[in-house]
Amino acid sequence: MKKIFGLALFYFAAAMFVFAQNSSSTSTATATSESNGTEISNTEVVKLSIDEAVNYALQNSRTLKSNDIDLELKERASKYSWNVFLPTLQATGTMSRTNEFSPATAASNKLMNQLSGGMVPAKTGYDKEEDRWSTVGSLSASWNFTPAYIAKIRISKAQYEAGLVTWEKSQKETITNIKKAYYGLLLQQESLKIKKTSLENARRRMIQAQTNFKNGSIPEIQFLQTQVNYENTKPDVDSAEQSLVQQEDLFAFMIGLPVGTKFELTSSIEPVYVDVETEELLAKYAENDLQIKSLKKNIEAAKLGITANDLSTWVPTLALNYAYQPVYMGNEGAWHFSKDLGKDSAWYDSGSFSASLVWNITNMLPWSSNRQQAKDYKQQLVQLQLNIETLKENQKVQVRKAVDTLHQAKEQIDAMGRNVKVAQRAYDMTVRSYQSGTTELLDLRDAEASLNQAKLGQINQKFQYISALMDLENTLNVDLK
């Protein structure tokens, strides 16, 4: 029984540890509920059902908020993945100054003199500072197309869908762990109630023994035994009470309530029984597993990555370019700007239009980084497929384990329910016998221990049933209740 109770506390502590990292710390005296906007005081006793506790946790989990941002990034990347088809537009303006006269400059001046009909003098050198300057403007547009762009758009969509599955999985795990923590806290409360009842019984027996001793009905040794039993029980109760207070503070911190807030758990550890069989569950819900769904989306993205890599390697890229580039080479210098450029022969357009098909020959080489990346994609694809096979086998193990736990816990709950009634009757009879002086204190303590063990065992089995059912639903991504 100690092992069962220890296992239950282990589950509770694990759930607490997970969500202590997810929740935000607060040291203020009041907290605002995001669901209804009301303030909660530390002196107010808050009543929490299990659904309300889950809502508080979902609103204050840092991990879930971070997951929301990750999903938003993937969603935006998918939504605007078509922007690879946008053309590239550039506008530039350049003013340049030559350091010294060159033959090329002389030839250019001579050509401009001929084109302008003498308006631009054919100089053999520079007479003025402004003659050393020239002005060049440029407005260009380029547009590239490759079928690989289409595959990349589909990759962005697949990555967003995989992110959506991951987000949903994190959401469900949060809900499952919070519920386990809630039920674990109820388990501790029930355990403390039983310990307090035993302490109160020990106190009453001590008082009764003291009265009997004073009346001379029992020897002093019997009175001292009851007193020792009472004093030995007190530290155990005090320790359990302190542990419960600490766990309540941690649970309040987890779900977003101010630490120290007094709350009352209004739900109870009463499982909803389901009739399930392993093979039937696997046949109906095996493909619902969110981990498997996520891996399938990753496989889809990997296949598209291979396609995009092959298209970018073997299919040429169509490149269209157009540039309008006005250049001034008149004798007014770089600062001359005519209102009507068309009538100023010193200005001319050196832009052009081009259409090209481009092959990257290097990417076609088998040892190039491009082809090595393609091999990496293929190996990653094999890994993902192996991971799916592993997950499916592990899923069978987990489902079978959960179903077996459900069946065993259900039988134990029924058996221990009958055992509690028998133990309670035996304890009541032992109490009456002890009071009449026909039963020793040790026998009474054994009867009480048996009753407490039966009660704790039944509560533990209820906790086990609820936990196993939640694990099963989380594994198969289905509501079985």
Side-chain angles (χ1 to χ4, degrees), residues 74-131:
K74 289 182 172 64
E75 181 182 16
R76 189 165 63 249
S78 175
K79 184 177 180 180
Y80 296 104
S81 57
W82 55 267
N83 58 18
V84 293
F85 293 115
L86 290 176
T88 300
L89 301 176
Q90 288 185 328
T92 60
T94 304
M95 296 180 68
S96 62
R97 179 185 182 278
T98 58
N99 294 329
E100 61 179 293
F101 173 78
S102 67
T105 303
S108 177
N109 285 339
K110 182 177 180 181
L111 175 61
M112 292 303 299
N113 176 267
Q114 295 173 353
L115 294 175
S116 63
M119 292 181 62
V120 178
K123 297 178 287 185
T124 59
Y126 290 106
D127 300 323
K128 304 177 184 178
E129 172 63 21
E130 57 265 28
D131 291 338

Side-chain angles (χ1 to χ4, degrees), residues 141-156:
S142 61
W143 183 73
N144 296 337
F145 173 76
T146 172
Y149 287 166
I150 299 175
K152 290 180 179 180
I153 292 174
R154 294 176 62 190
I155 289 175
S156 296

Side-chain angles (χ1 to χ4, degrees), residues 170-383:
S170 178
Q171 198 87 352
K172 288 183 178 297
E173 287 179 349
T174 299
I175 294 173
T176 298
N177 286 316
I178 283 294
K179 287 182 177 180
K180 283 185 178 182
Y182 186 98
Y183 287 122
L185 199 57
L186 284 174
L187 181 62
Q188 277 192 285
Q189 290 179 348
E190 292 296 325
S191 175
L192 180 60
K193 287 180 182 179
I194 293 175
K195 290 180 183 295
K196 284 185 174 181
T197 300
S198 296
L199 179 63
E200 178 61 19
N201 291 339
R203 187 187 68 82
R204 290 179 179 179
R205 287 194 295 269
M206 182 187 68
I207 293 175
Q208 181 185 3
Q210 184 180 23
T211 302
N212 293 339
F213 170 66
K214 289 180 180 180
N215 294 334
S217 302
I218 61 174
E220 185 179 7
I221 184 62
Q222 192 169 343
F223 163 62
L224 292 177
Q225 286 176 343
T226 59
Q227 187 176 11
V228 170
N229 178 48
Y230 172 68
E231 295 297 335
N232 286 340
T233 307
K234 286 173 62 177
D236 189 27
V237 174
D238 292 340
S239 177
E241 194 165 25
Q242 181 182 6
S243 176
L244 178 61
V245 171
Q246 292 173 349
Q247 295 300 335
E248 286 176 342
D249 285 343
L250 183 55
F251 184 77
F253 168 76
M254 286 166 45
I255 66 176
L257 288 174
V259 176
T261 300
K262 302 299 180 182
F263 58 87
E264 177 186 349
L265 304 182
T266 58
S267 300
S268 60
I269 306 182
E270 290 300 331
V272 177
Y273 299 111
V274 295
D275 185 15
V276 291
E277 296 297 335
T278 301
E279 299 304 326
E280 181 181 352
L281 288 173
L282 290 173
K284 292 176 64 176
Y285 306 114
E287 296 302 319
N288 288 1
D289 191 322
L290 291 176
Q291 285 184 290
I292 294 178
K293 284 186 176 181
S294 179
L295 283 178
K296 285 185 176 181
K297 291 297 180 182
N298 290 332
I299 286 177
E300 181 182 345
K303 290 180 178 179
L304 290 170
I306 295 174
T307 301
N309 188 281
D310 290 340
L311 289 174
S312 64
T313 300
W314 308 111
V315 179
T317 299
L318 173 63
L320 302 179
N321 294 278
Y322 173 76
Y324 169 63
Q325 191 174 45
V327 180
Y328 179 77
M329 296 188 65
N331 60 355
E332 296 295 331
W335 295 275
H336 175 79
F337 298 98
S338 171
K339 293 182 180 180
D340 189 356
L341 300 182
K343 295 181 179 180
D344 189 347
S345 59
W347 287 89
Y348 76 100
D349 179 12
S350 64
S352 64
F353 169 79
S354 65
S356 307
L357 289 177
V358 182
W359 280 271
N360 189 326
I361 304 300
T362 301
N363 285 344
M364 299 180 184
L365 301 176
W367 52 83
S368 67
S369 60
N370 187 278
R371 300 317 299 161
Q372 292 303 310
Q373 186 180 41
K375 292 181 180 179
D376 291 343
Y377 277 136
K378 293 177 180 178
Q379 288 182 317
Q380 290 172 7
L381 185 59
V382 173
Q383 280 185 324

Side-chain angles (χ1 to χ4, degrees), residues 382-414:
V382 173
Q383 280 185 324
L384 289 171
Q385 291 171 338
L386 289 174
N387 289 341
I388 283 187
E389 293 177 6
T390 302
L391 275 178
K392 287 183 176 180
E393 292 302 314
N394 183 62
Q395 181 192 65
K396 295 177 182 178
V397 174
Q398 296 301 322
V399 170
R400 189 178 301 279
K401 177 182 177 182
V403 171
D404 290 343
T405 302
L406 290 177
H407 290 164
Q408 182 181 16
K410 176 64 167 58
E411 293 175 359
Q412 291 293 327
I413 291 170
D414 295 339

